[in-house]
Amino acid sequence: MHVRRPATLASLAAELGVSRTTVSNAYNRPDQLSPELRRRVLETARRLGYPGPDPVARSLRTRKAGAVGLLLTENLSYAFRDPAAIGFLEGLALACEDANQGLLLVPANPEKEDVASVHRAGVDGFVVYSVPDDDPHLAAVLERPVPTVVCDQPELASVDRVGIDDEAAITQVANHLIELGHRRIGVVCMRLARDRNDGFVPPDRQRAAHFHVQRSRLAGLAAAFASAGVDWAQVPVVERFDHNTSCGASAAAQILDRDPGITALICTSDILALGALNEARRRGLRVPQDLTITGFDGIHEAERAGLTTVRQPVLEKGRAAGKLLLDAHERTRPRTVTLGTELILGSTAGPPRGAEERWFGP
Amino acid sequence: MHVRRPATLASLAAELGVSRTTVSNAYNRPDQLSPELRRRVLETARRLGYPGPDPVARSLRTRKAGAVGLLLTENLSYAFRDPAAIGFLEGLALACEDANQGLLLVPANPEKEDVASVHRAGVDGFVVYSVPDDDPHLAAVLERPVPTVVCDQPELASVDRVGIDDEAAITQVANHLIELGHRRIGVVCMRLARDRNDGFVPPDRQRAAHFHVQRSRLAGLAAAFASAGVDWAQVPVVERFDHNTSCGASAAAQILDRDPGITALICTSDILALGALNEARRRGLRVPQDLTITGFDGIHEAERAGLTTVRQPVLEKGRAAGKLLLDAHERTRPRTVTLGTELILGSTAGPPRGAEERWFGP
DNA sequence: TGCAGAGACCGTAACGGTTCAGAACCAATA
DNA sequence: TATTGGTTCTGAACCGTTACGGTCTCTGCA
């Protein structure tokens, strides 16, 4: 007794006594054969348990995978825990849907240097979202001969780009606080590089940050506050490797412990800011009377909390990335899409402690 | 001048004067050739711009795609808007990550009957999440000769299954309300079939519902309340095709308009329940004094709102589905994983109007 | 009757790899 | 010296399909 190999297009053709081309046409170009023959082909296929043309073989031949790869440097599951990432994913999914393309989430564990997953991904293009600029996975993507769009990345030769003007956006926050009178501030930022450094960040690490977004925001803050006469080197900047509210809280605590005199805490994400709010509450600090706190992103939870922040169009970012990738792509120079941002004046920013007395006092 | 075709394994081998096998080994089995030759191969590859073995061709030969397909009947982007779906995705992503597999989101527009996207997906298996049991995409998946795991689906021959006991879970809610004294209730449920029916649901449509989860929950409610002497045929059940808080609100309104005498509103999802809460607030109804409202799922927002609901382990569901699919799969009988649920006593369920007087009155 | 043109079907050549059973070579052992 | 064993590399088969450029047959019209 022989092992019954699964039916293929060829075996089906043999069974029917027609050519493979004809069977292929039965599935892909019904107009190329008579309805009667097509019916017979399909019926025999059913009888033999032939499931239709193999998608991989078809991809090989047509050179189309019908899917877009998404590379995130975070653990895959992280993408579903961060509201900003979710918004981005939704936008990207929308674009893929429109183009009837699949969306392949490529596992890229930041702790392993193993880029095999990138090499194995059968996709027609890549979107790279917020990875450090020295990430080996990013390098692996760039080696693949498929179009690529990077998000929140520095300019890169021959690759399309989507992002916002992080420096300008955070400058709005800075100027707002400067106008309110803040001069003694602290900063809580996200991971700056692939190595874990949960603590204060010396200026050289700030400048050498491998996450373009964080680097730009810190640079924007430094420039703005320097213009206002603040010695940036004295400003406490605390970094957190993980991204959740507990980290925001502990980072805020770290700054407040060392420098209780600060009047404002600028966080480079809403999640961190929400954590900082928790810590302020825990310490009995009133916001904004005792402490001003600001965020970045404009996620839903921030709105509910009345956070002063910058809203960036995360969904639009994802959609733009998808469109850029899927648009009939004349190999011209790389395109860049820069989306707008908006300063949201919430209720967590006010004049610094003592300012009222000075302004309205006797 | 000739168009330079992209380098392939064969052209690289020719250039080096070695066999294709050797080049292949240089990438896949470094121990099969001398380090020196391997170095030469890799260097020549770099020089020729050879990006390494083509993933699709490799998949064809090895019969492994390195990815898992996820089929949702909703628009792809919906998955990122529904908290329960996000939780599921996160769990599934975790399982994929562990197994170093990609996760391909297959676009399956419920309005098109076009199942080509399922046929085109180059994956080693499918997870099907909460689709109607008559969905053509589901049928297409089942025809593919790859292992499949369905979630929240009725039992299906030869396919693994993950789910909860919806009927038992909702029965807990029902019994809780029955004990509190509720006899006049209304029900708000999610989409029951592929056709849109925003309104009251006659009993036959309830029984014929194509979404297993909704059907089971309605059946559980019907049985429990019938045992308590309630004539189920008189219970207003309202269906909503879309799934968001506005729908929950309008469905609640529809029931309250027709039947202001009801004392409890049972919703088959937290999202709908949150919408119902909004509508109650709008009408000036106190919850739970004037109206009891319950949900299902146990999402974060529900907890914040103090909703009485059933918590189901959505993340665990996704993870279980992934594990089931990826576990070395001896072709035994189909396996079923049924996860536990927990009744969450929030602050939105209380005795019906007037009950207090009867219990605690003079 | 001859011939053009349309419709239906086919043969061949890729597509770009992996795999497996050896061949060739060399050093060590009996 | 013959045998053994190990390393390194090769040849050919195979994975399942689609693209391309035909051929063949039949119909309708001059």
Side-chain angles (χ1 to χ4, degrees):
Chain A
M1 190 168 161
H2 83 130
V3 180
R4 182 147 149 280
R5 312 261 329 261
T8 70
L9 193 126
S11 67
L12 186 52
E15 172 85 16
L16 282 156
V18 301
S19 78
R20 305 208 299 275
T21 304
T22 300
V23 178
S24 175
N25 284 337
Y27 286 94
N28 302 317
R29 309 191 182 173
D31 59 313
Q32 293 291 303
L33 71 174
S34 65
E36 160 58 13
L37 178 54
R38 175 157 196 261
R39 198 193 51 67
R40 266 180 59 219
V41 171
L42 265 34
E43 192 202 298
T44 308
R46 193 162 27 249
R47 185 163 56 75
L48 263 54
Y50 175 65
D54 181 280
V56 175
R58 169 184 281 163
S59 279
L60 174 61
R61 184 64 243 230
T62 61
R63 315 262 52 194
K64 294 217 169 350
V68 165
L70 172 62
L71 180 73
L72 307 110
T73 198
E74 284 291 347
N75 294 324
L76 240 181
S77 58
Y78 165 83
F80 301 109
R81 231 172 296 141
D82 181 39
I86 291 176
F88 180 86
L89 271 169
E90 184 185 341
L92 180 56
L94 278 169
C96 289
E97 223 161 30
D98 282 349
N100 207 36
Q101 294 283 301
L103 178 55
L104 179 69
L105 308 183
V106 177
N109 192 318
E111 316 203 340
K112 293 184 202 155
E113 297 269 319
D114 174 28
V115 294
S117 55
V118 172
H119 289 140
R120 267 187 359 198
V123 296
D124 299 325
F126 278 100
V127 171
V128 178
Y129 178 66
S130 184
V131 306
D133 51 26
D134 61 342
D135 190 305
H137 296 93
L138 171 56
V141 164
L142 295 177
E143 273 168 15
R144 292 272 309 255
V146 293
T148 298
V149 176
V150 298
C151 296
D152 298 340
Q153 292 286 324
E155 217 157 313
L156 225 49
S158 78
V159 166
D160 292 339
R161 211 162 64 94
V162 173
I164 59 173
D165 188 338
D166 285 286
E167 204 158 330
I170 200 87
T171 299
Q172 285 195 285
V173 174
N175 288 340
H176 177 52
L177 298 197
I178 289 167
E179 275 166 35
L180 284 170
H182 294 277
R183 292 298 181 275
R184 300 193 56 186
I185 62 161
V187 177
V188 177
C189 68
M190 289 166 63
R191 182 188 304 191
L192 295 181
R194 288 191 287 149
D195 62 314
R196 180 183 286 269
N197 170 45
D198 289 321
F200 290 96
V201 187
D204 59 331
R205 185 178 169 90
Q206 292 178 32
R207 282 188 299 270
H210 283 294
F211 283 90
H212 174 255
V213 163
Q214 299 296 312
R215 185 177 59 237
S216 305
R217 293 183 193 167
L218 290 177
L221 290 174
F225 280 97
S227 301
V230 174
D231 178 7
W232 184 255
Q234 301 304 316
V235 173
V237 176
V238 162
E239 172 181 355
R240 280 294 179 274
F241 191 77
D242 295 320
H243 189 225
N244 52 51
T245 51
S246 317
C247 284
S250 75
Q254 202 167 4
I255 292 179
L256 290 168
D257 282 345
R258 184 165 103 174
D259 201 343
I262 65 160
T263 60
L265 213 43
I266 300 176
C267 305
T268 64
S269 87
D270 283 349
I271 294 284
L272 293 175
L274 291 173
L277 279 175
N278 292 344
E279 176 64 15
R281 189 175 315 124
R282 204 183 63 78
R283 293 183 174 227
L285 293 173
R286 295 165 304 161
V287 174
Q289 293 88 339
D290 299 326
L291 184 66
T292 279
I293 293 180
T294 68
F296 201 108
D297 282 343
I299 65 177
H300 233 70
E301 292 85 335
E303 191 174 354
R304 194 155 31 217
L307 193 67
T308 292
T309 187
V310 171
R311 178 179 299 146
Q312 62 166 322
V314 283
L315 187 138
E316 212 36 67
K317 214 195 256 182
R319 200 209 300 261
K323 276 195 176 151
L324 224 46
L325 190 62
L326 295 165
D327 268 7
H329 200 114
E330 296 306 317
R331 267 276 173 226
T332 56
R333 62 164 74 188
R335 299 165 289 178
T336 293
V337 173
T338 303
L339 299 167
T341 59
E342 185 191 0
L343 180 65
I344 304 293
L345 298 176
S347 54
T348 62
R353 269 190 305 280
E356 285 166 72
E357 288 79 343
R358 252 180 278 130
W359 291 353
F360 305 112
Chain B
M1 185 160 168
H2 84 130
V3 180
R4 178 146 152 280
R5 310 262 329 261
T8 70
L9 191 130
S11 68
L12 186 51
E15 172 84 15
L16 282 155
V18 302
S19 76
R20 307 209 307 278
T21 302
T22 299
V23 177
S24 175
N25 284 336
Y27 285 94
N28 302 317
R29 312 190 180 174
D31 58 313
Q32 293 292 303
L33 71 175
S34 64
E36 161 57 14
L37 178 54
R38 174 156 197 261
R39 199 194 50 69
R40 267 181 59 219
V41 171
L42 265 35
E43 192 202 297
T44 309
R46 193 160 31 246
R47 185 162 55 75
L48 262 53
Y50 176 65
D54 180 279
V56 175
R58 168 183 281 163
S59 280
L60 174 61
R61 182 66 239 231
T62 61
R63 315 264 53 189
K64 294 219 169 350
V68 164
L70 173 62
L71 180 73
L72 307 111
T73 197
E74 284 291 345
N75 294 324
L76 238 181
S77 58
Y78 165 84
F80 301 108
R81 229 172 298 140
D82 181 40
I86 291 177
F88 180 85
L89 270 170
E90 184 183 342
L92 181 55
L94 278 169
C96 289
E97 221 162 30
D98 282 350
N100 207 35
Q101 295 283 300
L103 178 56
L104 178 68
L105 308 182
V106 177
N109 192 318
E111 316 203 339
K112 292 184 200 155
E113 298 268 319
D114 175 28
V115 295
S117 54
V118 172
H119 289 140
R120 267 187 359 198
V123 296
D124 298 326
F126 278 99
V127 171
V128 178
Y129 178 67
S130 184
V131 307
D133 51 26
D134 62 342
D135 190 306
H137 295 94
L138 171 56
V141 164
L142 294 176
E143 273 168 15
R144 292 272 311 256
V146 293
T148 298
V149 176
V150 298
C151 296
D152 298 340
Q153 294 284 325
E155 218 157 315
L156 225 49
S158 78
V159 165
D160 290 340
R161 211 163 64 94
V162 173
I164 60 173
D165 188 338
D166 286 286
E167 205 159 327
I170 201 88
T171 299
Q172 286 195 284
V173 174
N175 288 340
H176 178 52
L177 298 197
I178 288 167
E179 276 167 35
L180 284 169
H182 294 279
R183 292 299 180 275
R184 300 193 55 186
I185 61 160
V187 177
V188 177
C189 69
M190 289 166 63
R191 183 188 303 188
L192 295 181
R194 288 191 288 148
D195 62 313
R196 180 183 287 268
N197 169 45
D198 288 322
F200 290 95
V201 187
D204 58 331
R205 185 178 170 88
Q206 292 177 31
R207 282 187 299 271
H210 282 293
F211 282 91
H212 175 255
V213 162
Q214 299 296 311
R215 186 177 57 237
S216 306
R217 294 183 192 167
L218 290 178
L221 290 174
F225 279 99
S227 300
V230 175
D231 178 6
W232 184 256
Q234 301 304 315
V235 173
V237 175
V238 163
E239 172 182 355
R240 280 295 180 273
F241 191 77
D242 295 319
H243 189 226
N244 52 51
T245 51
S246 317
C247 284
S250 75
Q254 202 167 2
I255 292 180
L256 290 169
D257 282 345
R258 184 166 103 175
D259 202 342
I262 66 160
T263 60
L265 213 43
I266 300 176
C267 305
T268 64
S269 87
D270 284 349
I271 294 284
L272 293 174
L274 291 173
L277 280 176
N278 291 344
E279 176 63 15
R281 191 176 313 126
R282 204 183 64 76
R283 294 184 174 224
L285 293 173
R286 295 165 303 162
V287 174
Q289 293 88 341
D290 299 325
L291 184 66
T292 278
I293 293 179
T294 68
F296 201 110
D297 281 344
I299 64 176
H300 233 71
E301 292 84 335
E303 191 174 353
R304 195 155 31 217
L307 193 66
T308 291
T309 187
V310 172
R311 178 179 299 146
Q312 63 165 322
V314 285
L315 187 138
E316 212 36 66
K317 213 195 259 183
R319 200 208 302 260
K323 277 195 177 150
L324 224 46
L325 189 63
L326 296 166
D327 268 8
H329 200 115
E330 295 308 316
R331 267 273 173 231
T332 58
R333 62 166 72 185
R335 297 165 290 178
T336 293
V337 172
T338 302
L339 300 166
T341 58
E342 185 190 359
L343 179 65
I344 304 293
L345 298 176
S347 54
T348 61
R353 269 188 305 279
E356 283 166 76
E357 288 82 343
R358 251 178 280 130
W359 290 356
F360 303 112

